[in-house]
Amino acid sequence: MREQVRCTRASLYEAQAELFHVLGHPVRIRVLEALQSGPIPVRELLTALDLEIEPSELSQQLAVLLGGGVVTVSRSGATAVYEVAGGDVAELLAVARRVSSVRLSGRSELSEQTHQSERSRPEAAS
């Protein structure tokens, strides 16, 4: 029984790592954020991203998200419409955005402190 619990935990950790790997690309995150407002046809998604990205690269990124179970696709004739697979993805993105904002803020503050200390240091005598 203990071994089964250990295997289940390991599988859960592997699944979580796989999810973070799926989310680990800026274009994929932008796609998911664009899809927060609802399903979007792939042609409109390309425009909504407001990135210089080739349709083939968007297609590759959508395939990763689809394979990871993070988005779903429905087809209406030749049009593919993508949407986020569940509300938990939106919550995860919101948390990631908050954590990232704090990290970036901390980096910015550290950089400013470094620049201030460099400016306040007396010049070394030549």
Side-chain angles (χ1 to χ4, degrees):
M1 183 65 143
R2 191 174 223 173
E3 185 65 32
Q4 184 179 9
V5 170
R6 202 177 330 206
C7 286
T8 303
R9 281 190 194 147
S11 298
L12 179 59
Y13 294 140
E14 289 170 6
Q16 289 173 325
E18 184 179 320
L19 173 63
F20 285 117
H21 178 75
V22 167
L23 299 176
H25 192 283
V27 171
R28 294 193 289 263
I29 293 170
R30 292 280 303 266
V31 166
L32 291 171
E33 288 188 347
L35 293 174
Q36 294 302 303
S37 59
I40 302 178
V42 71
R43 288 188 184 138
E44 290 178 30
L45 187 55
L46 193 56
T47 305
L49 292 177
D50 194 30
L51 294 172
E52 291 184 19
I53 181 174
E54 296 293 323
S56 61
E57 184 182 350
L58 177 58
S59 179
Q60 291 172 348
Q61 301 304 338
L62 287 167
V64 173
L65 291 169
L66 190 61
V70 179
V71 299
T72 60
V73 63
S74 58
R75 299 197 183 275
S76 176
T79 303
V81 179
Y82 286 86
E83 66 182 309
V84 176
D88 290 341
V89 173
E91 186 178 339
L92 179 61
L93 288 174
V95 170
R97 195 175 306 112
R98 286 193 305 269
V99 169
S100 297
S101 293
V102 169
R103 289 182 66 225
L104 287 173
S105 175
R107 287 182 191 168
S108 178
E109 290 170 10
L110 180 61
S111 177
E112 182 58 31
Q113 289 172 358
T114 302
H115 288 302
Q116 284 178 357
S117 70
E118 287 174 356
R119 286 191 299 255
S120 65
R121 247 189 290 169
E123 293 292 321
S126 304

